[in-house]
């Protein structure tokens, strides 16, 4: 949790989705990531906790599927 990912993330030049939910305890870090790297796509889900993928699996998969299906 203390590792600074910004240097490694700054090297990403491929399409990237940051998917977070506003109930996650590290949601603020994901939001900051998109401020630092505006070329990343952002999707925010409502509710949940750090375990959103188990709590709302259909919504999580739908979010990823929409992103993967979008035209380049």
């Amino acid at each position: 949790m203390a590792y600074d990912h910004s240097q490694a993330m700054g090297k990403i030049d491929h399409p990237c989705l940051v998917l977070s939910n506003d109930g996650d305890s590290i949601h603020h870090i994901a939001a900051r990531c998109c401020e630092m790297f505006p070329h990343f796509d952002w999707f925010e889900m409502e509710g949940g906790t750090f375990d959103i993928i188990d709590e709302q699996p259909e919504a999580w998969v739908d979010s990823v599927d929409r992103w993967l299906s979008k035209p380049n």
Side-chain angles (χ1 to χ4, degrees), residues 25-62:
S25 57
I26 62 168
H27 176 69
H28 66 285
I29 296 171
R32 177 74 179 123
C33 170
C34 286
E35 291 173 12
M36 294 173 65
F37 306 103
H39 60 287
F40 289 0
D41 291 329
W42 165 257
F43 186 78
E44 178 179 318
M45 297 176 61
E46 292 184 23
T49 66
F50 65 89
D51 199 19
I52 191 73
I53 196 168
D54 289 328
E55 297 165 345
Q56 298 179 30
E58 293 87 6
W60 192 91
V61 168
D62 288 346

